[in-house]
Amino acid sequence: IQNPWEDEVVVRVSQMRRTISAVSELLRSQNQIEASCGSSITPLLREIDDLKMDFEYLLSGMSRATNMARCESVLPLYRRVFNGATCSESLKGLSLVFYSLFAIFLFAIIMITLRSAL
């Protein structure tokens, strides 16, 4: 079973990668841009490189999060928590409540019966 949003995330991430790479390649023609603008773009290049590194770090985190959120990872935990709570513990708890209420009812009937006998 696949996460429904995983395909969209992959498409968007690849688009962002292409955009950052395109901007980075465009700015690599540093001499022409500096000649046209009349100022140095070296700080901008450093920021673009930092942005690429941060983006790759973000992508690795997203990949780990996507792998953790896969149905194959979540479903066993979900079954263990909710199946255990709803199928076994709740039945045990309800049976204890039933037995307790039955015992209270039984003792109440005995007390009412014995009181009228005196």
Side-chain angles (χ1 to χ4, degrees):
I1 299 174
Q2 187 174 358
N3 291 334
W5 51 270
E6 187 174 3
D7 291 335
E8 184 177 343
V9 169
V10 169
V11 168
R12 300 291 182 209
V13 164
S14 66
Q15 288 174 347
M16 290 172 67
R17 264 195 180 135
R18 284 194 304 263
T19 303
I20 289 178
S21 295
V23 168
S24 179
E25 289 303 315
L26 177 69
L27 292 177
R28 293 293 172 214
S29 59
Q30 183 175 358
N31 294 335
Q32 293 174 346
I33 294 174
E34 285 179 354
S36 299
C37 294
S39 63
S40 174
I41 62 165
T42 305
L44 182 60
L45 289 174
R46 282 196 301 261
E47 292 299 322
I48 294 287
D49 288 338
D50 288 345
L51 179 64
K52 279 178 77 172
M53 288 177 25
D54 291 343
F55 185 69
E56 291 300 325
Y57 182 72
L58 177 66
L59 287 180
S60 68
M62 282 178 56
S63 175
R64 287 193 307 266
T66 303
N67 287 336
M68 286 188 337
R70 288 187 186 277
C71 290
E72 296 86 21
S73 303
V74 175
L75 191 59
L77 178 64
Y78 179 82
R79 279 190 181 156
R80 190 173 344 140
V81 169
F82 289 103
N83 191 23
T86 57
C87 294
S88 60
E89 281 89 13
S90 64
L91 292 177
K92 289 177 187 176
L94 287 175
S95 64
L96 286 175
V97 167
F98 173 75
Y99 292 137
S100 300
L101 289 176
F102 184 74
I104 291 170
F105 172 75
L106 187 64
F107 285 118
I109 294 296
I110 291 172
M111 188 169 58
I112 290 172
T113 304
L114 292 177
R115 182 170 183 261
S116 65
L118 291 176

